[in-house]
Amino acid sequence: MTVVDDILAEKDFEKIRKETETNYREYLNPFALRMFKNAGLDVIEGRREGACVWDISGEKYIDCVTGAGIFNAGRHNREITDALKKALDVYDMGGWISIIRERGLLAKKLAQITPGNLKYSIFCCGGGEAVEVAIKLARGHTGKTEIICMENGYHGVTGFALPATGREVYKKPFAPLTPGYIHVPFNDLDAVKSAITKDTAAVLLEPVQGEGGIRPADDSYLAGLRKLCTENEILLIFDEVQTGFGRTGKMFCAEHSGVTPDIMVLAKSMSGGLYPISCAVFTEEISDFLYSHPFIIINSFGGTSLACLTALATIEYIEKNNLPERAVQMGKRFMEGLLALKKNFPELVVDVRGKGLMLGIEFPEDSIGPRMACLLKKNGVISIYTFNNPKIIRIMPSLVITEEEVDFVIDAFDKSLKEIRAQEAGRNMKGAGK
Amino acid sequence: MTASAEDIKKQALADFSKYVNPQKARVLKNAGLDIIEGKREGACVWDITGKKYIDCITSAGSFNVGRRNPEIVAVLKKALDEYDLGVFLLCSKQKADLAKKLAGITPGDLQYVMFGVGGGEANDFAIKLARGFTMKTEIISTLKAYHGHTGFSLAAIGRDAYKKPFYPMVPGFKLVPFNDLKAAEETMTGDTAAIILEPVQGEGGIHPATDAYLQGLRKLCDEREILMIFDEIQTGFGRTGKMFACEHSGVVPDIMTVAKSLGGNLYPISATIYREELNDFLVAHPFIHLSTFGGSDLGCIVGMAVIDYLVKNKVPEHAAAMGERFQKGFDVLLKKYPDLLLEVRRKGLMMGLQYTNESIGPRMSYQLAQNGVMAIYTGNEPSVMRLMPVLVIQPDEVDFVIDALEKSMAAIMKQGGIEKY
Amino acid sequence: MATSDEIMEALADFKEQCNGNKRLRRMQRDWTKVLHYAAVDTGDKFTMTVREGEILSNEKGAAGTPDVIIEGESETLCNMFWGDINPTQMYLKGEIKVKGTQEDIMRIDAITAIIWPEV
Ligand SMILES: Cc1ncc(COP(=O)(O)O)c(C=O)c1O
Ligand SMILES: Cc1ncc(COP(=O)(O)O)c(C=O)c1O
């Protein structure tokens, strides 16, 4: 009996739930558990498939969280799973300083599918770690120190990424942080212009802010940034951790505007939601820094043989099934539904926006986000508000979502909004009665 | 479809140079380490052209259970029939199970767990937790230490070359000499949040901390309400002959970080384990530290399988015994090549050979590769060659490595250039 | 065997190659070192001064405190500066000896990799 057999053998779901909750309380994070419950996120995932996930008790949900975009190729994608299983017949991680064939192959593939002259890759495990690499390359290559980043941006929680994250709550208890980060308002070219100094190494941003509340950058803004950066010998870094691999309707979000960054950061959906891998892809010019410092950025788990093979299988799947185009189609269908909701619930839906299947729905106040998430769960949809802005519910389903499933989600929103409307009406009545 | 192994190798080297890191490929080639790993099993790895090596690099202690351990592979494959990464925002049974297991096998009252993917990330969280919990800012770390390349860990590294091109670093870090209690004491102030160290410095050149040093630090930390962080990323999971290196001294830290071998050489996962009291910080800030891939369902299952394997097969004890066998061989080499091999430092199967100068590390790598052993010098101390084979290495394989060392040293002696400088 | 003047000539060419390479200069801008070269067969010594990636001077004799000392046959040194051989391979075979940090040795290798990529 292996651990998996043990885990799978247990069929008493109440027991599993109790045990899991106890373990969370005793060994992980007692308060988070409470928060999960309050936010309608106390699902313990059992079966996963396509756009759906089943709670261990068998309850089915459409997953609109997808770990903020890990599962573009669908939950537990069978083809990619099979590829990883096959890889396990031959490979393990591979040595950290070894020359790994699969790593070379993946880097080559990335050079081919990323826009413009992006060519070299450094692999890591998590998105934040790859952002760190991007910032370090920018400092190392330019010899300058300042990083201009965006208010409400999210880039991860480790030491060089954390200061770039544009929200104080993540940072304050850990001060002093790495110096040299300057935050400016998003989509405001003049703000960047006036923040630039002789010591500016890079401008870092998400082409669509994810945690910041699903805010797409304007094409003209990105084009302006590109020009500004080139003129001032500043590197432009796109964090495509959430937007990459088809999410916004193109393989990479940068393609919408035609702007090529000097460094692009990728993670999340890169390996089909099956294996941790991330990377920074950058131009040949920047790779010169690796000549003088070939071993300066090392990590044990970045770009293992298994990770690279899984990523290659994932990219193949995305290309073969033309998932970016699917994101366009399904995104359109979603948007129509969301616009109808906006029309029908003008007092509750302030805005709907997004690109492809990276969508957000904005409510008039913070409390409605979590309340909606709870109601949506009741109506068969797992969703979550964006971290930097709880007014906004994020809709980021798998790109393999079907038309019926899109309609199901819209319907769930409709039901949930009706309930909120009823609750609000009830409250107003009470208020009026006083 | 029938490209020869040689062609595949050539293409792989070319791709690596063209798309990953040209200079790294060159340096490895020059050191005779331009190996493209094919088959892997137990203590061994085969280049795709068929040459067999005993792996004494093992990503600095990531492969304790052996290369491509069939039992762990079977567990992961089975898990893949059911699971994907899972969603980091949701409750996960697998995560809960592994947390409980880690609390069970770590010493003393270490209890709560934050998962990550890489080791650096685990250390970053440990340092953040120390600052957040104590509301103090200074972090003391040790010269030559290695803790990872993410920002907080990087600031704690005791070697400038890793940091300088990326200045400025996170402020508030102070470096002290390792194994020097007085230096640590003198550096502590009212604003010191924590001291972070490896119970055996790995990249720094395999330097074990003395028991007295660790015990002294524990006492100082208790007196001054300073947290003690042990980075057991290289030393953990049986490497030093105990499940965790800190057990040798009996000192229990407030925070311990683990990674590398927890993933069984198959799946990235790391963890920061800390005392109950510290969890108050996370009660106040439950979502302040997030990691998309950290503690994934698949990673946790692998972690469980690794721990079960280590316990069931008494792997730490085996490591202790194989370490003794290595030592016998080293004793002979020390006598035979005193002008080349100055000292051997060792705890279990965490072994460092101190050569006379920095050039010998790479030259020995080259020679050893010719003799069927993959080994490399430590990152922060190139005059030291690290030998960290898998813990399930067999006696005849130990003897093979000793024999390869003997042959390689003989070759270097013939070349000369071994004087100290 | 190479004479002291022949080595100086090779060094002058090496200097020109390095300093004229913008990419290399940028790459090596954090590298400030004094290097000594010693021809073991002839006993000739040379000093190279590098500041922020630029080779400032090559002189006969050993001057100042070196960060790196490179020793080899005069012919080998000469070939090395002309780019006819891969210095790192020579080094691993024990034909040239380098005393210095591993990091500096890799930097020297990086320089040669940039100016003579095919060697
Ligand atoms: C845009 C963006 N960048 C970086 C990250 C950090 O990635 P990870 O959690 O893998 O470190 C995230 C995670 O949500 C993200 O959305
Ligand atoms: C002692 C120690 N701490 C931390 C790390 C960093 O771990 P990772 O490479 O997984 O980030 C390492 C890696 O070599 C290590 O040896």
Side-chain angles (χ1 to χ4, degrees):
Chain A
M1 283 284 274
T2 68
V3 263
V4 193
D5 296 315
D6 285 343
I7 291 171
L8 295 178
E10 184 57 70
K11 294 286 180 225
D12 181 344
F13 302 120
E14 261 327 293
K15 194 171 150 209
I16 294 178
R17 171 169 296 279
K18 276 229 183 69
E19 176 192 84
T20 303
E21 289 187 1
T22 307
N23 286 344
Y24 259 72
R25 225 177 340 268
E26 295 288 318
Y27 306 110
L28 284 162
N29 191 337
F31 199 67
L33 182 67
R34 241 173 83 148
M35 302 264 295
F36 284 139
K37 288 199 158 168
N38 291 339
L41 284 171
D42 54 337
V43 169
I44 300 180
E45 295 188 331
R47 182 177 155 210
R48 308 118 201 242
E49 194 178 312
C52 301
V53 57
W54 284 255
D55 183 80
I56 44 161
S57 62
E59 201 74 37
K60 178 178 169 181
Y61 300 93
I62 295 194
D63 180 4
C64 286
V65 179
T66 61
I70 320 177
F71 299 109
N72 289 5
R75 297 295 313 249
H76 197 205
N77 182 302
R78 294 306 141 99
E79 288 182 40
I80 305 170
T81 305
D82 285 346
L84 174 53
K85 280 171 73 178
K86 206 172 256 171
L88 278 166
D89 288 336
V90 182
Y91 297 96
D92 55 14
M93 283 184 174
W96 67 338
I97 60 151
S98 300
I99 296 170
I100 293 183
R101 177 179 176 217
E102 301 71 52
R103 198 179 287 174
L105 292 173
L106 176 59
K108 186 175 184 174
K109 182 79 197 172
L110 288 170
Q112 286 159 358
I113 64 170
T114 50
N117 55 348
L118 294 170
K119 181 171 171 206
Y120 281 89
S121 290
I122 290 180
F123 293 102
C124 309
C125 311
E129 202 185 340
V131 169
E132 301 235 339
V133 167
I135 290 170
K136 285 198 223 161
L137 283 176
R139 282 189 173 174
H141 174 72
T142 63
K144 302 187 278 185
T145 59
E146 283 171 15
I147 311 294
I148 296 178
C149 30
M150 301 298 145
E151 287 170 9
N152 273 319
Y154 182 85
H155 300 286
V157 293
T158 47
F160 269 73
L162 182 61
T165 290
R167 193 154 175 248
E168 270 315 300
V169 291
Y170 285 114
K171 307 194 267 190
K172 215 164 143 208
F174 311 123
L177 302 185
T178 318
Y181 293 66
I182 294 140
H183 286 88
V184 298
F186 188 66
N187 254 339
D188 180 344
L189 192 61
D190 286 334
V192 174
K193 219 176 262 174
S194 41
I196 288 177
T197 71
K198 278 203 306 293
D199 200 30
T200 305
V203 175
L204 163 68
L205 75 162
E206 300 152 85
V208 179
Q209 282 197 334
E211 301 307 323
I214 315 292
R215 289 177 201 285
D218 301 332
D219 288 354
S220 62
Y221 173 63
L222 295 178
L225 281 182
R226 177 69 277 176
K227 188 154 168 281
L228 208 52
C229 286
T230 307
E231 283 166 5
N232 293 283
E233 296 192 19
I234 293 167
L235 299 182
L236 183 59
I237 308 173
F238 281 179
D239 178 342
E240 291 235 23
V241 168
Q242 281 198 29
T243 53
F245 298 103
R247 170 60 56 189
T248 68
K250 300 263 184 202
M251 187 57 108
F252 300 103
C253 189
E255 296 167 37
H256 289 288
S257 62
V259 170
T260 305
D262 301 288
I263 309 178
M264 190 186 262
V265 181
L266 301 172
K268 299 246 190 211
S269 264
M270 186 164 168
S271 52
L274 289 166
Y275 200 103
I277 182 172
S278 64
C279 75
V281 193
F282 47 93
T283 61
E284 177 145 24
E285 195 191 343
I286 297 171
S287 79
D288 281 353
F289 178 70
L290 298 181
Y291 269 95
S292 39
H293 307 82
F295 291 97
I296 198 162
I297 298 171
I298 50 170
N299 55 10
S300 313
F301 293 151
T304 68
S305 288
L306 293 168
C308 293
L309 287 166
T310 312
L312 283 164
T314 304
I315 296 170
E316 183 179 69
Y317 184 90
I318 293 174
E319 286 183 329
K320 203 173 64 192
N321 295 284
N322 202 354
L323 292 189
E325 178 52 30
R326 200 173 168 80
V328 172
Q329 298 306 330
M330 295 303 119
K332 210 182 268 166
R333 194 176 183 96
F334 250 119
M335 195 45 103
E336 280 160 16
L338 291 174
L339 284 169
L341 292 174
K342 183 166 181 247
K343 204 161 132 226
N344 296 340
F345 299 92
E347 83 283 17
L348 287 177
V349 180
V350 175
D351 190 22
V352 295
R353 58 177 174 261
K355 255 200 161 87
L357 276 175
M358 186 162 181
L359 299 161
I361 174 162
E362 180 166 348
F363 305 110
E365 50 165 303
D366 283 0
S367 76
I368 300 185
R371 277 164 68 196
M372 273 297 285
C374 280
L375 290 168
L376 283 165
K377 186 193 161 205
K378 218 174 72 185
N379 291 310
V381 172
I382 305 181
S383 68
I384 193 168
Y385 46 90
T386 58
F387 273 122
N388 294 356
N389 201 340
K391 271 208 275 286
I392 292 143
I393 289 254
R394 160 172 46 206
I395 308 172
M396 286 178 76
S398 292
L399 307 188
V400 298
I401 192 168
T402 62
E403 290 171 2
E404 298 75 54
E405 286 164 338
V406 172
D407 297 346
F408 181 91
V409 174
I410 294 290
D411 191 50
F413 264 96
D414 186 64
K415 283 187 193 141
S416 306
L417 284 165
K418 278 197 184 110
E419 279 190 60
I420 298 254
R421 179 179 273 170
Q423 287 170 6
E424 293 296 308
R427 179 167 329 157
N428 288 342
M429 292 253 295
K430 256 192 255 161
K434 266 188 197 156
Chain B
M1 279 312 284
T2 49
S4 73
E6 262 81 14
D7 288 344
I8 294 176
K9 179 162 176 167
K10 223 188 247 161
Q11 184 63 39
L13 291 171
D15 285 348
F16 198 92
S17 293
K18 194 159 169 200
Y19 302 108
V20 183
N21 188 334
Q23 186 61 9
K24 184 167 161 181
R26 187 177 150 107
V27 171
L28 289 174
K29 182 151 188 260
N30 284 334
L33 290 172
D34 52 338
I35 293 160
I36 309 282
E37 296 183 354
K39 184 178 161 199
R40 310 119 204 249
E41 192 180 305
C44 302
V45 55
W46 284 255
D47 182 72
I48 53 166
T49 58
K51 187 166 164 56
K52 177 178 171 182
Y53 298 87
I54 294 195
D55 181 0
C56 288
I57 301 179
T58 66
S59 296
S62 298
F63 308 164
N64 289 2
V65 295
R67 304 252 6 199
R68 227 186 71 77
N69 181 309
E71 289 186 36
I72 320 275
V73 169
V75 166
L76 177 53
K77 279 175 79 171
K78 197 162 232 175
L80 280 166
D81 288 337
E82 299 291 327
Y83 303 110
D84 52 21
L85 285 164
V87 171
F88 65 108
L89 292 164
L90 302 181
C91 276
S92 137
K93 170 167 164 52
Q94 290 70 32
K95 201 185 272 186
D97 287 346
L98 180 59
K100 184 176 179 179
K101 189 147 241 163
L102 282 169
I105 63 161
T106 47
D109 53 357
L110 293 169
Q111 180 181 342
Y112 278 92
V113 180
M114 173 71 83
F115 287 107
V117 199
E121 193 185 343
N123 283 330
D124 268 39
F125 177 68
I127 292 166
K128 284 168 74 178
L129 179 60
R131 279 189 174 176
F133 176 76
T134 63
M135 294 201 278
K136 300 188 279 185
T137 59
E138 283 172 17
I139 307 292
I140 298 175
S141 63
T142 57
L143 288 169
K144 291 190 185 172
Y146 184 80
H147 296 295
H149 78 118
T150 46
F152 288 98
S153 308
L154 187 65
I157 289 185
R159 183 164 177 250
D160 228 20
Y162 280 116
K163 310 198 257 190
K164 218 164 154 194
F166 310 131
Y167 277 172
M169 293 281 123
V170 183
F173 285 70
K174 291 179 173 171
L175 287 163
V176 297
F178 189 70
N179 263 337
D180 182 341
L181 190 61
K182 192 140 174 285
E185 179 170 13
E186 282 165 1
T187 309
M188 290 173 177
T189 73
D191 196 32
T192 304
I195 177 162
I196 179 168
L197 71 161
E198 302 149 87
V200 181
Q201 279 196 338
E203 297 304 306
I206 316 292
H207 294 279
T210 63
D211 291 352
Y213 177 58
L214 296 180
Q215 286 151 3
L217 278 181
R218 180 70 271 180
K219 188 153 167 281
L220 281 175
C221 286
D222 286 341
E223 285 164 8
R224 301 175 188 212
E225 298 190 5
I226 293 169
L227 298 178
M228 206 169 173
I229 307 171
F230 280 176
D231 175 344
E232 291 243 20
I233 288 166
Q234 272 194 37
T235 53
F237 301 108
R239 172 58 56 188
T240 67
K242 301 258 186 206
M243 189 58 96
F244 296 101
C246 66
E247 295 169 33
H248 290 284
S249 63
V251 171
V252 180
D254 301 288
I255 307 176
M256 182 193 274
T257 54
V258 295
K260 293 211 189 244
S261 270
L262 180 60
N265 187 20
L266 293 173
Y267 208 93
I269 181 165
S270 65
T272 308
I273 308 146
Y274 49 96
R275 288 182 25 240
E276 178 171 13
E277 185 191 1
L278 274 59
N279 203 47
D280 287 352
F281 178 73
L282 283 147
V283 171
H285 307 89
F287 291 105
I288 201 157
H289 189 86
L290 305 161
S291 169
T292 305
F293 294 142
S296 61
D297 287 353
L298 293 168
C300 288
I301 287 173
V302 170
M304 302 263 289
V306 165
I307 294 172
D308 284 353
Y309 184 90
L310 293 171
V311 172
K312 192 178 71 193
N313 296 290
K314 297 203 168 58
V315 172
E317 289 85 340
H318 179 74
M322 291 302 107
E324 292 297 329
R325 191 176 183 101
F326 262 112
Q327 188 63 49
K328 289 207 185 86
F330 294 150
D331 289 341
V332 174
L333 294 172
L334 280 162
K335 279 216 192 74
K336 195 155 174 197
Y337 301 106
D339 300 331
L340 182 62
L341 182 59
L342 290 183
E343 186 183 44
V344 174
R345 294 182 291 270
R346 185 183 70 84
K347 205 143 202 156
L349 279 176
M350 188 157 180
M351 308 178 287
L353 308 186
Q354 176 71 56
Y355 301 125
T356 35
N357 69 50
E358 287 204 4
S359 84
I360 296 177
R363 288 166 62 199
M364 275 296 285
S365 283
Y366 182 80
Q367 292 298 332
L368 282 169
Q370 311 305 310
N371 289 304
V373 171
M374 268 167 60
I376 193 150
Y377 51 93
T378 56
N380 297 354
E381 197 53 83
S383 61
V384 178
M385 174 160 285
R386 167 175 38 209
L387 296 177
M388 285 177 76
V390 306
L391 302 190
V392 294
I393 190 169
Q394 296 305 306
D396 57 322
E397 291 165 331
V398 172
D399 300 345
F400 182 91
V401 174
I402 292 290
D403 189 50
L405 281 167
E406 156 88 62
K407 283 184 193 143
S408 303
M409 286 182 187
I412 298 273
M413 289 301 286
K414 231 184 254 154
Q415 291 175 357
I418 58 164
E419 54 289 319
K420 211 169 160 177
Y421 55 80
Chain C
M1 207 164 78
T3 66
S4 167
D5 285 338
E6 280 166 344
I7 292 182
M8 281 303 283
E9 198 186 325
L11 273 168
D13 182 73
F14 183 73
K15 175 175 174 219
E16 203 173 304
Q17 296 251 13
C18 286
N19 291 353
N21 191 318
K22 253 178 83 182
R23 186 169 161 216
L24 190 59
R25 290 280 295 280
R26 175 172 199 158
M27 208 182 279
Q28 296 287 98
R29 63 176 186 270
D30 58 347
W31 206 60
T32 295
K33 300 282 161 182
V34 174
L35 296 89
H36 283 182
Y37 297 93
V40 287
D41 50 343
T42 61
D44 290 331
K45 290 194 163 73
F46 308 87
T47 303
M48 176 186 284
T49 311
V50 183
R51 198 177 65 204
E52 292 170 2
E54 181 183 6
I55 300 180
L56 292 182
S57 62
N58 293 310
E59 281 159 48
K60 290 189 188 176
T65 317
D67 298 290
V68 185
I69 302 170
I70 299 174
E71 295 174 353
E73 301 276 329
S74 56
E75 189 73 38
T76 310
L77 291 180
C78 207
N79 287 340
M80 183 171 91
F81 295 126
W82 284 116
D84 294 335
I85 51 173
N86 176 329
T88 311
Q89 271 164 14
M90 293 293 122
Y91 159 70
L92 289 164
K93 291 186 182 131
E95 302 213 358
I96 57 173
K97 310 221 157 68
V98 186
K99 297 177 186 166
T101 67
Q102 195 52 35
E103 203 181 317
D104 287 334
I105 293 168
M106 281 199 293
R107 283 300 183 99
I108 296 167
D109 187 52
I111 297 173
T112 60
I114 293 292
I115 20 186
W116 307 301
E118 65 288 349
V119 176

